Amino acid sequence: NAGVTQTPKFRILKIGQSMTLQCTQDMNHNYMYWYRQDPGMGLKLIYYSVGAGITDKGEVPNGYNVSRSTTEDFPLRLELAAPSQTSVYFCASSYSRGGLGGFGPGTRLTVL
Amino acid sequence: DQQVKQNSPSLSVQEGRISILNCDYTNSMFDYFLWYKKYPAEGPTFLISISSIKDKNEDGRFTVFLNKSAKHLSLHIVPSQPGDSAVYFCAASVSGANNLFFGTGTRLTVIP
C-alpha cells in the first residue's frame, strides 16, 4: 500500500493564480481531510469528506474548494491564490472520524 | 484561538532518559486526545491516543497521561532513543466531530 500520496511536493504560485493539490489514498478509507500548517502553528482543518460525493467545511475553508468523486481521490482547489495561503498542506484519510489514519507527506506552497 | 497548547517549542533529552512532552487544552468538550510524531518532509504519523474515560494509556515505550481536571495531558517516552527525535503534536477532538484540533508542536531532540 502506498498509503496517502500528495502531488506536487512543492509549488510556487503568483498572486491570483489557481492550482489543484492532488491527494490519493489506497486504503479504501471513507474519511478524507485537508489540513494546512502555517509556520509555528498547529494543523488546521480546511475541508473534509465522509465519502464519495460528500464534503464539508472545516475550520479554515475560505479560498479553497474540494470535490470527492471517488473514494480514492480528494483534490483541493485554490482559485485565486493569496500570500495568506502560503503554507504546508497535508491530506489525511481515516477509516473513522477524526483522522486516525495516515497523513500524506505534504505539499509546500508559496504564494508570491 | 488556540484550543490546544504546547508551551514548550523544544526539548532536549539524553538517550536512555525519560522524555516528557506536555499539552494543555481549553475546551472541556474534548474527550479524545492523540499524539502524532512528525519527521521533516513527512506527514504526521499517529503515535498513541487516550479517551477521556481513562487517565493513562500505554504502548511500549510510550505512555500518555490525562488529567481532566487540569485539562492537561502528557506523553512520556521511556527510554528515549535518538530515533525519537522529531516534532510531536498533541491533538484533541470531540466524539462524533470530524475536526482534530492540533497544538503547535514540540521538537524533541534525543542526544546520543
Side-chain angles (χ1 to χ4, degrees), chain A residues 33 37 42 45 48 97-100 104, chain B residues 34 36 43 89 96 98-100 103:
Chain A
Y33 309 83
Q37 185 189 14
L45 183 65
Y48 67 94
R97 294 178 193 272
L100 277 181
Chain B
L34 309 92
Y36 285 84
F89 290 98
N98 285 288
N99 197 4
L100 283 178

Side-chain angles (χ1 to χ4, degrees), chain A residues 35-51:
Chain A
Y35 284 89
R36 60 178 284 177
Q37 185 189 14
D38 298 334
M41 302 296 289
L43 283 74
K44 291 188 185 297
L45 183 65
I46 305 171
Y47 268 96
Y48 67 94
S49 169
V50 301

Side-chain angles (χ1 to χ4, degrees), chain A residues 50-84:
Chain A
V50 301
I54 307 169
T55 63
D56 208 346
K57 296 177 181 178
E59 197 180 346
V60 289
N62 291 344
Y64 307 94
N65 277 301
V66 293
S67 58
R68 183 95 181 271
S69 55
T70 67
T71 300
E72 295 77 22
D73 300 305
F74 191 39
L76 178 72
R77 178 86 179 155
L78 282 73
E79 290 295 346
L80 291 169
S84 61

Side-chain angles (χ1 to χ4, degrees), chain A residues 99-100 103, chain B residues 34-38 44-46 87-89 100 102:
Chain A
L100 277 181
F103 279 81
Chain B
L34 309 92
W35 284 94
Y36 285 84
K37 176 179 178 179
K38 184 183 179 305
T45 55
F46 170 72
V87 177
Y88 289 79
F89 290 98
L100 283 178
F102 283 81

